[in-house]
Amino acid sequence: MGGLAIKKVIGREGDRYTPEEKKFYCDTIKFLGYDVMFPVEVQSKESFGDIDVLLNSSENVEQFIQSLVEAFKQKGIEYQGKTVNGKVHSLSVGNKQIDIVITPMEDMNSSFWYYSNNDLGNLLGRIARSLGFKFGHDGLHAIVRSESEHILGEFLITKDFSKILHILGFSNEDIDSPYLETGFPDFETMYEWVTRSIHFNGTKYDLEELNQINRIRNRKRKTYMDFIEWLQTSNMRDKKPDFPMNQNMYLYYAIQHCQMETSYISFLQSIELKKYENELFNGHLVMEWFGLTGKRLGEFLAEFKKIHPMYITYNNTRIKEESERLFKEKYCN
């Protein structure tokens, strides 16, 4: 967040860290003994707006913050307060920002890779999106859509970063790059590495290619905007994938590569079951039968499902009969 989140606490943006200050702060936090990880950053950065700390959600966050505050107080560095945005606690310690990201244990490693090297995860996300996937802090997901392009669900393919990079079209040599773990020496080296994917398409990063939410978000992200400029100056904007890719076929390849065939079949079956449940009994039917709307409609649906948890085994006739019985009991007495 670049030191912006604590503006409410100290009335201005937080002070930036020098590399030496960042190391001192990180070492102090590591010494506390909690299960934490620190995403790495591009090595050429001369200063840092904040420190990201991935805290295992099994830890007591308030206890961790109390220990952190006490540790810095002993070093003469005062705690000014914090702001909370979802799972992120942004602390002001010595007028500098520390972002504590509460992270489920199963997402610690995938979050480390996603948040490391500044906005690399976001840049890789565009490659994933072009293949029909979604890449985030919780791994690589397949976006499953209906024939009308309605999103039916997201299926987790893998949280393994090496497998994700393989699916995104990187060579074994690129996947084994030590820079991923230590931080790229500079942004240009990182940008060039991103373009090595056989599925890279430079035009997919144009702001016009993004939906409104991502367009607004990425316009504020310096690394993303610098990458767009670099693509132009390096003549990489016009780089296209090495060969056309059918998304359905590639999804099947990714599932096979990660040995997730059985899980994917179960996932599709659950979607079909949910669709059948919705067709069998839904708000539109109840509105048509009894004219219920709004809060009363919601209460009726919830009450019916509570009384008839196995309604999916009923036929249409019984569904309507039981609905009529409940309606008479609830609204006609």
Side-chain angles (χ1 to χ4, degrees):
M1 297 178 185
L4 296 173
I6 62 170
K7 191 173 182 179
K8 293 180 181 179
V9 178
I10 64 175
R12 61 176 178 81
E13 295 181 19
D15 295 337
R16 296 184 68 82
Y17 294 87
T18 65
E20 294 75 20
E21 288 173 331
K22 183 183 177 186
K23 183 179 185 306
F24 169 76
Y25 270 69
C26 288
D27 287 345
T28 300
I29 296 171
K30 288 177 186 176
F31 187 74
L32 298 176
Y34 289 83
D35 187 4
V36 298
M37 297 182 77
F38 300 85
V40 299
E41 302 202 47
V42 172
Q43 297 174 29
S44 63
K45 290 187 68 172
E46 296 179 353
S47 64
F48 308 87
D50 56 31
I51 291 176
D52 290 331
V53 184
L54 305 180
L55 176 67
N56 190 324
S57 59
S58 64
E59 301 280 15
N60 185 312
V61 61
E62 294 303 331
Q63 189 178 72
F64 171 72
I65 291 175
Q66 184 178 351
S67 298
L68 183 152
V69 169
E70 183 60 31
F72 280 102
K73 184 177 181 180
Q74 291 178 6
K75 297 177 183 294
I77 302 174
E78 293 298 324
Y79 166 70
Q80 289 91 8
K82 71 173 183 176
T83 60
V84 181
N85 183 11
K87 296 182 179 180
V88 181
H89 296 242
S90 297
L91 279 60
S92 176
V93 182
N95 290 335
K96 298 181 187 296
Q97 182 169 317
I98 300 173
D99 285 337
I100 302 170
V101 185
I102 311 303
T103 308
M105 179 167 50
E106 64 271 18
D107 291 340
M108 287 290 284
N109 286 326
S110 57
S111 293
F112 169 82
W113 294 115
Y114 183 76
Y115 292 123
S116 283
N117 287 293
N118 297 78
D119 221 14
L120 176 60
N122 191 26
L123 301 182
L124 292 176
R126 296 303 303 158
I127 300 176
R129 183 67 66 172
S130 71
L131 296 170
F133 302 123
K134 175 185 174 183
F135 175 51
H137 68 278
D138 53 352
L140 186 72
H141 289 76
I143 305 173
V144 182
R145 302 176 184 271
S146 65
E147 292 183 0
S148 60
E149 289 300 299
H150 175 70
I151 295 179
L152 299 175
E154 295 180 3
F155 174 74
L156 175 63
I157 294 177
T158 183
K159 294 179 183 289
D160 187 308
F161 191 55
S162 293
K163 290 181 180 179
I164 291 172
L165 292 181
H166 178 87
I167 292 169
L168 297 187
F170 289 91
S171 68
N172 290 334
E173 181 181 356
D174 291 328
I175 294 172
D176 292 335
S177 171
Y179 296 147
L180 291 169
E181 190 167 354
T182 63
F184 284 87
D186 51 61
F187 284 97
E188 185 171 353
T189 302
M190 184 178 82
Y191 296 158
E192 192 276 330
W193 180 89
V194 171
T195 65
R196 292 183 199 170
S197 163
I198 62 174
H199 303 305
F200 181 82
N201 186 336
T203 60
K204 292 295 184 181
Y205 293 85
D206 293 349
L207 292 177
E208 295 75 18
E209 287 284 325
L210 311 181
N211 60 34
Q212 184 177 10
I213 294 176
N214 283 319
R215 188 159 55 245
I216 294 172
R217 182 174 69 96
N218 284 322
R219 189 176 274 127
K220 299 176 182 178
R221 302 180 78 94
K222 184 178 186 304
T223 302
Y224 190 93
M225 297 305 295
D226 286 350
F227 181 62
I228 292 179
E229 183 178 346
W230 179 86
L231 289 176
Q232 292 283 5
T233 58
S234 63
N235 296 318
M236 294 299 287
R237 179 185 175 276
D238 295 327
K239 185 178 186 295
K240 294 292 190 292
D242 291 1
F243 51 87
M245 182 57 59
N246 179 285
Q247 289 189 359
N248 288 332
M249 289 182 61
Y250 202 64
L251 169 60
Y252 180 65
Y253 162 74
I255 289 171
Q256 275 196 320
H257 178 71
C258 297
Q259 299 180 330
M260 295 294 286
E261 296 96 327
T262 302
S263 295
Y264 187 63
I265 291 172
S266 297
F267 173 76
L268 293 179
Q269 289 174 338
S270 69
I271 287 178
E272 288 300 314
L273 181 61
K274 186 175 182 180
K275 188 161 61 172
Y276 175 72
E277 288 179 0
N278 190 55
E279 291 173 353
L280 189 65
F281 179 71
N282 57 67
H284 293 293
L285 288 174
V286 175
M287 286 174 63
E288 181 183 328
W289 293 338
F290 313 119
L292 296 177
T293 59
K295 184 179 179 181
R296 295 175 75 199
L297 174 62
E299 290 175 346
F300 185 90
L301 293 173
E303 184 71 11
F304 182 90
K305 292 177 181 179
K306 180 180 179 181
I307 297 173
H308 304 279
M310 296 298 292
Y311 74 88
I312 193 173
T313 63
Y314 301 173
N315 58 29
N316 291 329
T317 301
R318 186 177 177 189
I319 286 284
K320 189 171 184 181
E321 289 175 350
E322 297 294 349
S323 295
E324 290 174 343
R325 183 176 292 110
L326 176 61
F327 179 77
K328 291 176 181 178
E329 293 175 356
K330 194 172 180 67
Y331 298 104
C332 298
N333 290 333

